[in-house]
Amino acid sequence: MPFLGQDWRSPGWRWVKTEDGWKRCEPFSPALEDGNNQLNDISHTVIITGDDENEEVYSTEDCEFAAKKRKKDHFRKNTDSQCFYREKWIYVHKESTRERHGYCTLGEAFNRLDFSSAIQDIRRFNYVVKLLQLIAKSQLTSLSGAAQKNYFNILDKIVQKVMEDQYNPRLIKDLLQDLSSTLCILIRGVGKSVLVGNINIWICRLETILLWQQQLKNLQMNKQVNNGLTLSDLPLHMLNNILYRFSDGWDIITLGQVTPTLYMLSEDRQLWKKLCQYHFAEKQFCRHLILSEKGHIDWKLMYFALQKYYPIKEQYGDTLHFCRHCSILFWKDTGHPCTASDPNTCLMPVSPQHFIDLFKF
């Protein structure tokens, strides 16, 4: 059997007929591109001979298929970017069946749901960051090599976005703090590393995280100069209405530091009472009741005290959805090929914690 190339199953190299005879075209060379038009017009078969007595006959279609395969393999070996898919959904299955071999993984979900693009959408940004934070707390030891790479690629893009746009740096600081704390425990506190991969790689990643933390610590917020209407020019009832729409106590405190008027509005007892009633049940109030010097309930301190013991309601502009009929996870605005008669009745919003639970095996 003649030697046909790196893979004995392949039809071999592509050849182009010239005035000096047949010449072999190297993959990805200019000669290959120049000969494409000529090869497309060839209708006869290409004969590759090894000995005089043995010969193999391959059609032009077979040669073109082999060249495409080598080109695809070359691309996979030399690219560091993620694989991108047209469909922004993934079928969630936890065991092998006759129809589907293997099961979906967390790393595959990162690719198929395109989290790298999701962080550019302000509606999904907080959702993705919260998801990465939960993974940093509990799922680092279960990440495969591909999932690790995707995780830190997305994290790098998040940090760069915050550095450029100064968008919600507090949220990213919390994420990096949880991630660095978990890595320190797993690398230094555990006698034997339980992380997938070389320990030196994780040490380098920890150094990168510490560098990101220092960059965020030195982040200077750009002062925007506007000659038009500003937040301070709004009437009091509109400012108060804005504060009542916040679901995070830290956001209220941060906004209260802008002007003395906003500070006065942010200290309103009724505002913090509404916030406590939104996140917590009345039974929880009795267990952690805090009174002020005047004998009134200090709702502001109550909120932060209850936050330590009970989870607060999560609120996101956009979330992933799960179709109970198709077992498909997807972004709601991208949709999925649902076969149900009434798809809207099968949809279920997926919180970041629920997303992680879907990929626990």
Side-chain angles (χ1 to χ4, degrees), residues 8 36 71 81 96 111 128 194 226 287 294 334:
W8 64 270
N36 279 340
K71 187 175 182 180
S81 61
S96 298
N111 269 347
V128 177
V194 294
N226 294 320
R287 299 176 184 176
K294 298 181 180 181
T334 59

Side-chain angles (χ1 to χ4, degrees), residues 2 4 14 27 31 48 62 76 88 121-122 128 142 149-150 155 167 195 198 217 228 255-256 281 285 298 300 306:
L4 302 179
R14 178 179 291 187
I48 305 175
D62 293 334
R76 288 177 177 175
K88 307 301 181 185
D121 190 336
I122 192 172
V128 177
S142 63
K149 182 178 179 181
N150 293 338
L155 184 58
Y167 177 75
L195 296 169
N198 192 300
K217 184 178 180 181
L255 185 60
F285 297 161
D298 194 331
K300 182 178 179 180
L306 293 170

Side-chain angles (χ1 to χ4, degrees), residues 73-134:
D73 294 340
H74 181 271
F75 174 79
R76 288 177 177 175
K77 292 179 181 179
N78 292 276
T79 183
D80 294 329
S81 61
Q82 288 183 273
C83 298
F84 296 96
Y85 299 86
R86 291 182 180 180
E87 299 84 5
K88 307 301 181 185
W89 52 266
I90 183 172
Y91 178 81
V92 179
H93 54 113
K94 298 186 177 182
E95 58 184 6
S96 298
T97 62
R98 289 184 177 181
E99 295 78 13
R100 294 179 179 271
H101 296 283
Y103 53 85
C104 57
T105 62
L106 196 60
E108 185 182 2
F110 280 151
N111 269 347
R112 295 297 297 267
L113 296 173
D114 197 10
F115 284 158
S116 296
S117 300
I119 61 175
Q120 303 301 327
D121 190 336
I122 192 172
R123 300 172 303 162
R124 303 174 180 173
F125 183 85
N126 291 358
Y127 184 91
V128 177
V129 172
K130 181 63 176 180
L131 176 60
L132 296 186
Q133 188 175 12
L134 292 176

